[in-house]
Amino acid sequence: GENVEQHPSTLSVQEGDSAVIKCTYSDSASNYFPWYKQELGKRPQLIIDIRSNVGEKKDQRIAVTLNKTAKHFSLHITETQPEDSAVYFCAASKLIDFGNEKLTFGTGTRLTIIP
Amino acid sequence: EAGVAQSPRYKIIEKRQSVAFWCNPISGHATLYWYQQILGQGPKLLIQFQNNGVVDDSQLPKDRFSAERLKGVDSTLKIQPAKLEDSAVYLCASSMRVGEAKNIQYFGAGTRLSVL
């Protein structure tokens, strides 16, 4: 089955600096890569996603890049703010059957923004 | 638009007892997922429904876990009997099956289970 590895497990950055989280996946059939943000005690929420036919996508201070050949994708947060502190999960999705997809999550990165 | 609803929010039981969780997906979402999230880990898929049929339950411990979605809307997840290692947050999610939006999963707030 699919295996998604995520690094680092913890990351602390000064407010205003950039943060980068990296993930690798094992199954070349995976074609959709969402990133979820989970604040303490709350539900995971989708913050950005990318499909396999796109190499990069940006939404304000957040960007995601995908390298299909190397099977890795990254989340970039610029101009970090205290409210960016949370656990971030990457995930990889592939078609299983009858038009259904299966999502496999990484182990998460706890991001702390230091004021 | 209402989100994914789950209940209860918290549950504390002793090992070998039974417990059930309930999920109501976003209206119109045909696909429903149950995940187990152990502290410090990412969500792990337990079972996936398409309407009232099971699409994937390969990671569901079938000797103690069961789930159903009889009318293709609400779903229940049951653990019987519970073990200490079942302590986790159980997340329900749902997604559409229309065009590009079909991959996006929306999560409920989860049920935090503590097995003592």
Side-chain angles (χ1 to χ4, degrees), chain A residues 47-111:
Chain A
I47 55 171
I48 195 168
D49 56 10
I50 192 167
R51 301 186 184 278
S52 59
N53 58 347
V54 176
E56 184 174 358
K57 183 176 178 180
K58 190 173 182 180
D59 183 4
Q60 298 183 0
R61 297 185 296 108
I62 296 173
V64 58
T65 58
L66 171 65
N67 183 327
K68 281 193 67 180
T69 303
K71 297 210 236 2
H72 67 70
F73 55 114
S74 301
L75 177 71
H76 304 253
I77 306 174
T78 58
E79 301 172 16
T80 53
Q81 301 169 4
E83 53 265 37
D84 294 330
S85 293
V87 178
Y88 291 81
F89 292 99
C90 63
S93 176
K94 69 170 185 176
L95 190 68
I96 47 178
D97 62 7
F98 306 114
N100 290 295
E101 298 81 29
K102 180 175 181 176
L103 205 56
T104 302
F105 283 85
T107 49
T109 296
R110 180 174 299 279
L111 175 63

Side-chain angles (χ1 to χ4, degrees), chain A residues 36 38 43 51 98 100, chain B residues 37 50 97 100 103 105:
Chain A
Y36 284 83
Q38 188 174 29
R43 71 191 73 193
R51 301 186 184 278
F98 306 114
N100 290 295
Chain B
Q37 186 176 24
Q50 179 67 32
R97 289 203 69 223
E100 290 287 293
N103 300 91
Q105 295 186 24

Side-chain angles (χ1 to χ4, degrees), chain B residues 9-65:
Chain B
R9 287 298 313 277
Y10 306 93
K11 190 74 178 178
I12 301 173
I13 62 173
E14 295 188 349
K15 60 183 179 182
R16 291 189 288 275
Q17 285 187 322
S18 302
V19 64
F21 313 128
W22 174 83
C23 174
N24 180 244
I26 293 173
S27 178
H29 282 195
T31 309
L32 185 146
Y33 315 78
W34 282 103
Y35 289 88
Q36 180 192 58
Q37 186 176 24
I38 293 173
L39 188 64
Q41 299 181 17
K44 183 184 85 171
L45 180 69
L46 293 176
I47 189 167
Q48 178 177 339
F49 291 96
Q50 179 67 32
N51 296 310
N52 61 350
V54 175
V55 173
D56 185 347
D57 63 358
S58 57
Q59 298 188 96
L60 186 74
K62 298 180 186 63
D63 58 333
R64 298 184 300 106
F65 286 63

